Amino acid sequence: MRTEGYEFAAPDSWDRFADVVALAYGGYDAAPAYRTVVAEVFEPKRSLLAHRDGRTCATLALYSLDMGVPGGRRPIAGIGYVSVDPTHRRRGLMRGLILRTLAGLYERGEEPVAALHTTEPGIYGRFGFGGATRAVHLEIPRHAREMTPSHAEPPLPVRVADPADCVAHIARIHEGAPERRPGTFHRDDAWTRRALTDLPERRGGAGRLLCMLAEDPGEGGLPRGYALYALTARWVDSYPRYDVHVRELFAEDSLAYASLWRALLDIDLAGTVIADRPVDDPILALLADPRSAVPVVRDQLYTRLVDLERALPQRAYAAEIDVVIDVADADCPWNQGRWRLHTGADGAACARTGAAADLSLSARELGAVYLGGTSLAQLAAAGRVIEHRAGAVRAATRAFHHDPAPFCPTVF
Ligand SMILES: CC(C)(COP(=O)(O)OP(=O)(O)OC[C@H]1O[C@@H](n2cnc3c(N)ncnc32)[C@H](O)[C@@H]1OP(=O)(O)O)[C@@H](O)C(=O)NCCC(=O)NCCS
């Protein structure tokens, strides 16, 4: 085995961990203030390092997330900061970190599902992670600010504030997000601080982070939505054409949502409003000319069923289903084999079966469809899911689908 001579252990210090991460990601040393914010969400006892001859060579951070899946919030193991010292690459250290983590989660009966964001989409499919959420990148030009008429009521009043003064509102509004949309996860105080981090050295030329609040017009009413955004100054032919970068936008109802977008698109200096949004985001239905925003869809969160027997019943299904799936999973052999998934009045159940398979697929496809945003029929059309009983793909596609589409705007 190529990882002979390496030892795997939980980190004792965030700093040593962070040093390897900084080196692996190009030698950018994180500002001390940023390290502090990231350290607050770091869970050393759950994370992993690889050492050799007293030197730390590779890292993996594991986070205990409470994430929306179809049916409500569930524990999901978030994996982040997978990094290997450039002089120790392609010896199997990443493989060692990932497989040890998956086996540990299973053996200890912890989260039955793992999720990660990846720097490159080609890395994690081999370990059974499937692309589960997508984001659509929008660049809305000044000439396409017009919105299709929507609400009978006038827009809500919107005010701009310092995010530091709205932390409680932001946390409260975000709190409802995982129930509304799978892929978003509960953010405690430390995760909220991380989401609001705004260090000058990390702004990339933009101004400071601002917060827009859509206010409830009733007396004493609490804000019903917020947008976090920053402007980058840009002048074209002596005209202001600033970029407005929308970092995140959450609203409790559609009027608050539309009011925030109206206000963002109306910023006087704005040239282009830039945002990454869910693929079914209402802004695509609100813009009179969505084509001008040149929507570009890209992969986002990848999920992996660690313990299939517990993972499949812990989510809800959009339609009744009774299907036998034959799963190939060499890295997590306990998932391998034929499973009967059926739903009824008391929810879903999943158990081993000797019955003939209706569908064959690998862990990667199951991971991809788990949050309800990837179509099983699409994977079948690509030859990645094999149908043995006519109609099984169609039935399973309907059952696994979730509306609205999952989305994970918080990178971990
Ligand atoms: C990506 C990274 C973690 C890989 O670490 P590594 O220890 O060299 O990977 P391993 O030797 O365990 O490789 C396991 C497999 O992944 C493949 N692989 C590794 N990096 C890959 C990449 N960037 N793209 C596609 N495949 C990759 C290897 O070829 C190997 O393939 P195999 O299954 O055919 O044997 C490392 O290159 C790194 O730190 N990169 C910079 C940080 C980064 O991008 N991290 C990912 C964060 S999500």
Side-chain angles (χ1 to χ4, degrees):
M1 190 167 161
R2 285 176 301 162
T3 54
E4 269 167 21
Y6 289 91
E7 278 171 49
F8 292 85
D12 49 14
S13 109
W14 162 242
D15 276 332
R16 217 144 51 107
F17 189 100
D19 286 342
V20 178
V21 170
L23 188 62
Y25 282 91
Y28 291 94
D29 284 321
Y34 187 67
R35 277 200 179 197
T36 306
V37 170
V38 177
E40 277 189 349
V41 298
F42 185 58
E43 298 180 45
K45 290 200 174 73
R46 303 203 72 195
S47 300
L48 208 51
L49 292 177
H51 307 280
R52 184 179 194 139
D53 303 329
R55 242 189 97 194
T56 303
C57 319
T59 66
L60 180 149
L62 194 67
Y63 303 109
S64 314
L65 305 180
D66 187 11
M67 185 180 279
V69 308
R73 278 165 36 172
R74 301 287 183 274
I76 303 282
I79 294 177
Y81 289 125
V82 179
S83 73
V84 176
D85 176 320
T87 58
H88 292 260
R89 284 188 186 153
R90 304 304 181 264
R91 301 175 191 185
L93 283 179
M94 169 178 69
R95 179 181 296 281
L97 291 167
I98 296 277
L99 297 189
R100 271 173 178 76
T101 299
L102 297 176
L105 288 169
Y106 175 72
E107 282 156 15
R108 294 187 296 270
E110 295 171 352
E111 295 93 333
V113 179
L116 52 79
H117 291 268
T118 175
T119 48
E120 296 178 73
I123 302 179
Y124 293 101
R126 59 172 51 76
F127 304 124
F129 287 82
T133 77
R134 270 158 283 275
V136 59
H137 180 75
L138 300 173
E139 298 198 1
I140 307 167
R142 193 178 173 87
H143 70 80
R145 291 172 167 192
E146 188 188 334
M147 285 167 73
T148 305
S150 56
H151 298 80
E153 310 96 304
L156 296 182
V158 167
R159 77 179 160 93
V160 178
D162 186 335
D165 297 332
C166 331
V167 177
H169 294 314
I170 290 170
R172 176 183 52 77
I173 294 165
H174 187 275
E175 181 66 9
E179 300 286 346
R180 288 192 289 269
R181 201 180 270 283
T184 33
F185 61 88
H186 164 72
R187 294 197 305 218
D188 63 12
D189 293 350
W191 278 102
T192 301
R193 270 194 292 283
R194 184 175 173 281
L196 299 182
T197 312
D198 179 36
L199 302 170
E201 55 272 47
R202 292 181 61 85
R203 288 181 189 155
R208 69 188 167 88
L209 190 68
L210 300 167
C211 179
M212 246 181 208
L213 292 170
E215 307 266 52
D216 188 291
E219 201 176 318
L222 294 168
R224 288 160 41 184
Y226 72 88
L228 294 175
Y229 68 104
L231 273 62
T232 304
R234 192 183 300 285
W235 292 81
V236 178
D237 296 334
S238 304
Y239 281 98
R241 293 289 182 265
Y242 284 28
D243 289 337
V244 179
H245 303 271
V246 182
R247 187 190 285 191
E248 62 180 47
L249 187 156
F250 287 95
E252 293 176 332
D253 58 84
S254 70
L255 182 61
Y257 176 88
S259 306
L260 287 165
W261 270 107
R262 183 65 279 157
L264 286 165
L265 293 169
D266 280 349
I267 292 174
D268 279 333
L269 299 171
T272 309
V273 180
I274 302 163
D276 284 325
R277 303 297 304 162
V279 284
D280 57 351
D281 198 75
I283 188 60
L284 292 160
L286 280 170
L287 290 172
D289 170 13
R291 191 191 304 171
S292 285
V294 197
V296 176
V297 175
R298 63 166 180 76
D299 57 300
Q300 196 192 42
L301 191 72
Y302 285 70
T303 51
R304 209 267 186 232
L305 272 54
V306 177
D307 185 348
L308 178 160
E309 192 171 9
R310 289 193 296 126
L312 288 178
Q314 78 160 9
R315 60 154 283 184
Y317 293 85
E320 288 199 359
I321 186 164
D322 191 349
V323 70
V324 174
I325 50 177
D326 192 4
V327 179
D329 193 349
D331 286 336
C332 299
W334 51 87
N335 288 334
Q336 203 131 249
R338 270 171 285 162
W339 299 88
R340 178 179 173 219
L341 170 68
H342 67 106
T343 56
D346 339 329
C350 180
R352 281 204 177 273
T353 178
D358 300 318
L359 299 172
S360 299
L361 39 64
S362 80
R364 185 176 181 175
E365 283 71 46
L366 267 186
V369 300
Y370 189 72
L371 293 179
T374 298
S375 156
L376 201 127
Q378 183 191 23
L379 299 177
R384 291 172 52 183
V385 174
I386 307 299
E387 181 178 66
H388 305 291
R389 174 173 59 81
V393 164
R394 195 173 139 78
T397 302
R398 272 209 309 269
F400 274 90
H401 175 76
H402 188 270
D403 193 5
F407 181 62
C408 185
T410 310
V411 178
F412 49 86

